Amino acid sequence: MTSALQQAMEQRKEEVARRPLYVYDLPQDILSTLTRQDDTGQGPQNNVLSSTDEVVPESRTESAAGAKSCSLCGVAFHTVEDQRSHIRSDLHGYNLKQRIRGAKPVTEGEFEKLVGDLDESLSGSDSSESDDEDDGDARKETTLSALLKKQAHISSNSNDGEGAVAPTKRKRGSGKPPIIWFASTTLPSNTYLGVYRAIFTNAEQESEPTILDIVRKKQLAPKPAIKTPINQITGVPLPEAYKEPHIFLCMIGGGHFAAMIVSLTPKQTKSIPTGPISKEATVLAHKTFHRYTTRRKQGGAQSANDNAKGAAHSAGADLRRYNEQALTEEVRALLRDWKGMIDTSELLFFRATGSTNRRTLFGPYDGQVLRQNDPRIRGFPFSTRRATQNELMRAFVELTRVKVLEVDEAAIAAEKLAAEEAAKQESAKAAKKATPTAPKLSEEEETALLHTSQLQALIRRSKVPALVSYFKSNDISPDFAFQPPDAQQHFHAPTSLHLAASQNSAPLVTGLLSKAGANPAVLNGDGKAPFDLAGERATRDAFRVARSELGEAKWDWEAAHVPVAISRAEADERDAREKKEEAKIEEERRKAETARLKEEGPKVVENGPLGKAAGRGRMMALGHVAKTAQEKREEEARGMTPEMRMRLDRERRARAAEERMKRMQSGS
């Protein structure tokens, strides 16, 4: 008996997958056994987000051979059109990005939850040129790109890699998932039915505990198609004559506009329907407009470009401005014609991206039909493409189609436990590897570090007056020890005088000793005085001159390892003598090198014969090579204007023709 019941459930699931259910005309066996999945709000979609390993995505499976499917997203399709639409969808594009990043693909339910808090959805996959939006960066940001940017921002803030996909802050909405999930005893226990939350009114969404009763009340009995009186001018059914529930759908963007009024009452058919829902929908009115308003290859509406850069003066800009105004007038005129049916619509679904498009619909303007504060207004809770009649019909089918989700709950629970254990292990490892925080520095230590950085910068740039002034203005000793003292660079040069001597800066050494009063006897970590670090004679002489000028009693010069003092005149004289000797040595070296080159270099005979190794250029220069005819012609034409060269060429050709004629006559 149990196996027979399970077989019946599987058969019923296949029937539901073969032909999607219509929200307003559910089968009686499913409607009577419908239950809310987890009234606490933790429905199957939340479980899916916690683990995507063992989830079987929503599928429209068909037992017939040759059924189309997407192996990446794990979705099967009834028709080729459905498969092509899926390939262009943001869900498929997002899963491609997931595969590139090495992450697991998500189901349709997961993707809808991820984009549920986005402001408005738009996909540019239908046309790369016609879907340009109206305002700045918004025209380039599709649902997919907005979601990827948000995930990148969250991952950069939390450093959680690819695991953090939930938004940290919701800008709009209640924060609830876009789909409400139900279960039925006529279907397997791991199969759930989903309905978009957007098809319920605000009052119905607030009374969510009684959502089952609301769904049952929304059921509509199929009725045969009857001819409804219409307005002969607008072609729209008269509101007083058509009393059936209906909704209004509208999309505008990139110069494209599409609007549609669709009845929610299903059509009555003689046989059991097997085709798609779109064949049963009753379209009461539909209209599309298209105007050239966006700048090709650049994107954005002309008005947005004018507001940003000023009015452009070109034929294309004038045409786009005219078309924008014409499109606005056409859309508002259509809304006025449809006002009666719009006012009686249960819900109003819009996609109007950019301030220009929203201003077209919501004004303010005289005779305004739509209001932004209308509680019936909804956005499409899924990605949409270019505004066309087919896209509106696809959006209507998506809104009113019951989602079917099959979940392996046991695998999800096991994976969740494994993820929790892994998280605990990672947290334990991170706690062990956590480095101790550096102790907080006192105010005196921070001040010492600041003085160290300032002094070292002045010394490296050889700013002698600024260095001396810094010591005096900050009341710092010229023997100030650099901080921190245990640093490697401070072990070798702990004071300003040590650093100046190691850099062989004689002016700095003189300034620190004579003007700042630095002590030359201070030793570094190696027991060396500043004089021991000087590598050039000029720097060492600066210490000896300072010893002479400051006197023997000023410092312990022997402890500072400074030799016998010399006067500045003696130091300058020795420097001049050394420079003179170096210049003399350099001059002698150059003379010797020149003589060597003359003796060892090649010998050139002025009037002697030239060998084969001689270059043609030298032979021509010496007059040993005759010039060719081409070279003679180029030499004659050098410096002439183009007209003069043409005349010269004609004369040459004439002389050549005369010579040929003479030779022919003499030969005959």
Side-chain angles (χ1 to χ4, degrees):
M1 185 65 180
T2 305
S3 61
L5 182 59
Q6 292 180 351
Q7 186 176 1
M9 289 182 178
E10 291 294 336
Q11 184 178 0
R12 186 62 174 134
K13 184 182 71 172
E14 292 180 3
E15 294 175 357
V16 172
R18 185 176 299 111
R19 181 188 180 277
L21 300 177
Y22 184 52
V23 174
Y24 296 95
D25 187 18
L26 295 175
Q28 188 60 34
D29 59 338
I30 293 180
L31 186 62
S32 59
T33 58
L34 202 63
T35 57
R36 176 70 189 279
Q37 173 60 26
D38 196 352
D39 291 336
T40 60
Q42 299 296 328
Q45 200 175 35
N46 293 348
N47 294 333
V48 169
L49 283 178
S50 63
S51 173
T52 61
D53 292 340
E54 300 296 333
V55 177
V56 179
E58 175 191 346
S59 63
R60 291 177 284 172
T61 314
E62 185 179 43
S63 58
K68 305 300 179 181
S69 63
C70 175
S71 59
L72 176 62
C73 303
V75 181
F77 307 97
H78 184 74
T79 62
V80 178
E81 288 74 12
D82 289 346
Q83 184 186 24
R84 292 173 179 172
S85 177
H86 169 77
I87 295 300
R88 294 192 298 266
S89 66
D90 285 340
L91 169 63
H92 187 77
Y94 180 77
N95 281 334
L96 287 176
K97 294 289 186 181
Q98 289 287 92
R99 170 172 290 184
I100 293 173
R101 294 184 296 184
K104 300 177 178 64
V106 300
T107 64
E108 184 175 355
E110 297 170 359
F111 184 73
E112 289 166 354
K113 182 172 180 62
L114 292 177
V115 302
D117 64 318
L118 295 179
D119 192 0
E120 285 177 318
S121 60
L122 173 67
S123 172
S125 58
D126 217 26
S127 172
S128 61
E129 294 182 353
S130 300
D131 290 349
D132 294 329
E133 297 306 328
D134 290 322
D135 287 334
D137 297 336
R139 65 174 181 265
K140 296 294 184 184
E141 190 169 29
T142 64
T143 301
L144 179 58
S145 62
L147 178 59
L148 294 175
K149 286 180 181 178
K150 179 174 292 185
Q151 291 184 0
H153 175 70
I154 294 171
S155 62
S156 63
N157 290 340
S158 60
N159 293 326
D160 287 340
E162 297 166 352
V165 297
T168 57
K169 180 180 179 181
R170 295 186 179 272
K171 297 182 180 179
R172 296 181 58 185
S174 60
K176 297 180 180 179
I179 298 179
I180 302 176
W181 294 98
F182 301 91
S184 175
T185 55
T186 59
L187 299 175
S189 59
N190 63 338
T191 303
Y192 301 96
L193 303 177
V195 178
Y196 275 112
R197 191 182 299 272
I199 67 172
F200 299 98
T201 63
N202 293 346
E204 292 171 347
Q205 293 184 25
E206 292 174 359
S207 58
E208 195 165 324
T210 62
I211 198 68
L212 288 175
D213 296 334
I214 296 173
V215 171
R216 294 188 179 98
K217 290 179 181 179
K218 282 184 171 293
Q219 300 305 300
L220 301 173
K223 293 184 179 181
I226 58 175
K227 190 173 182 179
T228 306
I230 63 174
N231 189 324
Q232 298 299 329
I233 300 176
T234 62
V236 181
L238 298 174
E240 59 274 10
Y242 190 82
K243 300 299 182 181
E244 298 297 328
H246 54 277
I247 62 174
F248 175 74
L249 300 94
C250 172
M251 295 181 185
I252 183 172
H256 294 265
F257 171 82
M260 181 183 292
I261 299 175
V262 189
S263 175
L264 298 178
T265 305
K267 290 181 181 179
Q268 186 177 11
T269 57
K270 296 181 180 180
S271 60
I272 299 176
T274 58
I277 298 177
S278 59
K279 293 184 178 180
E280 301 176 26
T282 303
V283 179
L284 303 177
H286 64 86
K287 189 66 176 177
T288 59
F289 296 121
H290 173 52
R291 291 278 186 170
Y292 168 56
T293 61
T294 57
R295 296 171 296 141
R296 297 297 182 260
K297 305 299 183 184
Q298 299 182 41
Q302 184 62 43
S303 58
N305 184 70
D306 292 345
N307 294 334
K309 304 178 182 178
H313 302 286
S314 66
D318 294 338
L319 179 60
R320 289 188 290 270
R321 292 191 195 97
Y322 171 80
N323 286 338
E324 282 187 6
Q325 184 62 30
L327 181 63
T328 301
E329 294 175 357
E330 290 173 347
V331 171
R332 291 177 178 178
L334 179 70
L335 295 178
R336 283 192 294 269
D337 294 339
W338 289 11
K339 185 178 185 304
M341 294 298 290
I342 293 176
D343 292 341
T344 57
S345 297
E346 288 192 354
L347 296 173
L348 310 177
F349 287 91
F350 288 94
R351 190 207 74 193
T353 53
S355 60
T356 302
N357 291 328
R358 288 192 290 269
R359 191 162 52 246
T360 299
L361 297 179
F362 301 107
Y365 60 92
D366 295 336
Q368 185 172 341
V369 178
L370 301 174
R371 306 286 178 179
Q372 288 185 341
N373 57 356
D374 194 328
R376 300 174 298 167
I377 289 181
R378 300 282 188 276
F380 293 97
F382 46 81
S383 60
T384 57
R385 295 186 289 273
R386 182 169 43 181
T388 60
Q389 182 179 349
N390 291 336
E391 181 62 15
L392 284 178
M393 180 54 66
R394 187 191 73 85
F396 172 77
V397 172
E398 182 68 19
L399 284 169
T400 57
R401 177 172 61 89
V402 177
K403 308 294 179 293
V404 181
L405 181 64
E406 187 177 354
V407 178
D408 191 347
E409 295 180 346
I412 291 178
E415 186 65 24
K416 186 175 182 180
L417 291 176
E420 291 177 356
E421 291 295 332
K424 290 180 181 179
Q425 294 178 2
E426 289 294 333
S427 61
K429 292 180 181 179
K432 292 180 181 180
K433 294 181 180 180
T435 56
T437 57
K440 187 176 182 180
L441 299 177
S442 62
E443 185 177 356
E444 292 77 7
E445 292 175 339
E446 292 180 355
T447 305
L449 290 175
L450 176 62
H451 290 327
T452 299
S453 61
Q454 295 293 332
L455 291 173
Q456 291 178 349
L458 293 173
I459 292 172
R460 290 190 180 94
R461 291 181 292 175
S462 299
K463 302 291 185 180
V464 179
L467 181 63
V468 175
S469 175
Y470 189 88
F471 282 121
K472 294 180 180 179
S473 60
N474 292 277
D475 195 16
I476 302 175
S477 171
D479 302 323
F480 172 79
F482 295 149
Q483 300 296 322
D486 55 350
Q488 183 177 1
Q489 64 271 24
H490 299 160
F491 182 83
H492 177 68
T495 65
S496 301
L497 188 57
H498 281 88
L499 184 59
S502 65
Q503 291 185 350
N504 294 313
S505 178
L508 277 176
V509 171
T510 302
L512 288 171
L513 290 173
S514 303
K515 298 180 180 179
N519 185 0
V522 178
L523 304 180
N524 63 4
D526 294 330
K528 294 183 178 180
F531 181 83
D532 299 329
L533 303 181
E536 295 180 357
R537 179 183 295 277
T539 308
R540 293 193 293 270
D541 287 348
F543 282 94
R544 299 178 66 181
V545 170
R547 180 175 182 176
S548 173
E549 293 178 350
L550 296 176
E552 297 292 333
K554 180 65 176 177
W555 304 110
D556 187 356
W557 299 102
E558 298 297 332
H561 305 163
V562 178
V564 180
I566 59 174
S567 63
R568 186 173 298 278
E570 293 175 348
D572 294 342
E573 183 181 355
R574 185 165 62 177
D575 288 343
R577 185 170 60 253
E578 289 181 353
K579 290 181 180 179
K580 186 176 180 180
E581 292 177 356
E582 291 177 356
K584 184 178 180 181
I585 294 173
E586 179 65 19
E587 185 178 358
E588 292 178 354
R589 186 192 66 79
R590 290 183 178 182
K591 289 181 179 179
E593 183 68 17
T594 303
R596 185 185 67 81
L597 291 176
K598 286 183 178 180
E599 293 178 0
E600 299 178 359
K603 304 298 187 298
V604 179
V605 181
E606 295 296 335
N607 299 321
L610 294 174
K612 295 183 179 180
R616 180 179 176 83
R618 289 183 58 211
M619 295 173 69
M620 291 179 61
L622 297 175
H624 293 278
V625 177
K627 297 180 180 179
T628 63
Q630 179 65 23
E631 292 173 346
K632 291 180 179 180
R633 286 195 295 268
E634 291 179 355
E635 186 176 356
E636 290 178 0
R638 189 177 297 118
M640 293 184 178
T641 62
E643 293 79 6
M644 295 172 65
R645 290 183 180 180
M646 292 176 60
R647 191 179 300 111
L648 181 60
D649 290 339
R650 286 196 297 269
E651 292 177 357
R652 287 173 179 170
R653 287 195 293 269
R655 287 197 298 268
E658 291 177 357
E659 292 294 333
R660 287 196 298 271
M661 294 295 294
K662 289 180 180 179
R663 286 196 298 269
M664 290 173 62
Q665 291 176 0
S666 62
S668 60

